[in-house]
Amino acid sequence: MNTTLLQPAPARSLGGRPDYIRIEGLSKTFGGRRDGVLAIKQIDCLIAQGSFVTIVGPSGCGKSTLLRILAGLLDYEVGSVMLDGQPIHGTRRDVGVVFQSSILLPWRTILENVMLPAEVLGLDRKQARERAMHLLQMVRLDGFEHKLPRQLSGGMQQRASIARALLHDPKILLMDEPFGALDAMTRERMNLELQRIWMESGKTVVLITHSIPEAVFLGDKVFVMSPRPGTLERVLPVDLPRPRTMEAMSHPAFAAAAASIRERFSHAASFD
Ligand SMILES: Nc1ncnc2c1ncn2[C@@H]1O[C@H](COP(=O)(O)OP(=O)(O)OP(=O)(O)O)[C@@H](O)[C@H]1O
Ligand SMILES: [Mg+2]
């Protein structure tokens, strides 16, 4: 047995505010009162500062809706969503978002793409450039600063997107199926990279995935949502120490966590 798996989790996640993100009674309906679609229903949860939360659930259950509300990209009428004691309404600077496709501007170099938030937010250009170079190093893209997105692989483009989301030093990183379009091997590497970046940066991360192994591998907690209208059915803690290696996937605790999620969704076809 790998003894590193038996070591306690590092102190990193301790001491952070346990209710850093507080969601209470959150429901969201799209459209009118009569023909509206109830996307998410009565969600209550807490997300601790510095923790890594993953969200799984069947297609259409409201995962992206929840994430867009957290990002301030979508408003809500029922319930409350608080970040560090402040209600979330509208976009905010302390949040960075990564979507499934990397959405890099094809005519701009990787460095110029990563620096985009600095232009939008009016940050000092010189400082932003320095930070962008540092982040590109962190996501192991140094040497590719002056390439165009099409000259990079899908995984490299996604790493550039992560660097861009971190440029303005947000406290929270929200990721909506960021690795969905990648092949299995690249995806595993990206999971390791993301874990490293998260551990180095101390951010609070919320990541949506269709992959149960990915959810268990990355998450301190896995939020399991029901089919639409999406409710938060379970919050599953994953008690595997960090940093997790691919070996963690053969640990009995990993298999047990994945099995308990899979069992719940044995009739849903939308999982890996
Ligand atoms: N802008 C919108 N207008 C109307 N209905 C919407 C809108 N966005 C989402 N919906 C509806 O809300 C429900 C939840 O959608 P959402 O995109 O949050 O699901 P999801 O869990 O992210 O699905 P997937 O796993 O396929 O990405 C769906 O029924 C969808 O049709
Ligand atoms: Mg979605």
Side-chain angles (χ1 to χ4, degrees), residues 25-38:
L26 178 67
S27 299
K28 174 70 191 176
T29 303
F30 289 105
R33 219 172 249 238
R34 266 206 228 140
D35 57 351
V37 172
L38 180 58

Side-chain angles (χ1 to χ4, degrees), residues 93 108 115-123 167:
R93 284 178 72 141
R108 298 184 70 150
M115 286 179 65
L116 199 64
E119 290 165 34
V120 176
L121 298 169
L123 307 181
L167 185 83

Side-chain angles (χ1 to χ4, degrees), residues 100-218:
Q100 178 170 5
S101 61
S102 63
I103 333 180
L104 298 172
L105 299 176
W107 60 88
R108 298 184 70 150
T109 65
I110 293 302
L111 179 61
E112 287 165 352
N113 265 289
V114 173
M115 286 179 65
L116 199 64
E119 290 165 34
V120 176
L121 298 169
L123 307 181
D124 179 83
R125 197 174 157 74
K126 188 164 169 282
Q127 280 179 9
R129 193 177 196 284
E130 272 170 29
R131 186 164 162 77
M133 294 299 282
H134 169 74
L135 286 166
L136 283 168
Q137 211 172 5
M138 186 165 93
V139 297
R140 303 195 206 277
L141 280 178
D142 34 336
F144 292 88
E145 300 87 354
H146 305 298
K147 302 270 188 232
L148 292 169
R150 65 179 151 78
Q151 295 174 292
L152 270 62
S153 72
M156 292 163 89
Q157 290 184 29
Q158 206 50 303
R159 276 184 277 156
S161 299
I162 295 170
R164 183 176 61 186
L166 293 172
L167 185 83
H168 58 296
D169 199 20
K171 298 193 183 86
I172 301 170
L173 189 57
L174 304 175
M175 309 178 92
D176 194 347
E177 293 182 53
F179 309 134
L182 305 179
D183 67 84
M185 273 168 67
T186 310
R187 192 167 180 157
E188 282 192 356
R189 258 207 321 275
M190 291 297 291
N191 284 343
L192 290 169
E193 291 274 298
L194 179 60
Q195 177 182 233
R196 179 182 63 80
I197 291 166
W198 165 70
M199 291 184 79
E200 280 175 15
S201 66
K203 309 282 179 211
T204 306
V205 180
V206 180
L207 176 141
I208 293 174
T209 177
H210 275 169
S211 161
I212 293 172
E214 186 169 271
V216 174
F217 180 80
L218 287 172

Side-chain angles (χ1 to χ4, degrees), residues 30 37 39 57-66 68 177 210 228:
F30 289 105
V37 172
S59 180
C61 77
K63 301 179 296 295
S64 297
T65 301
L66 179 61
R68 283 163 61 209
E177 293 182 53
H210 275 169
R228 192 179 65 78

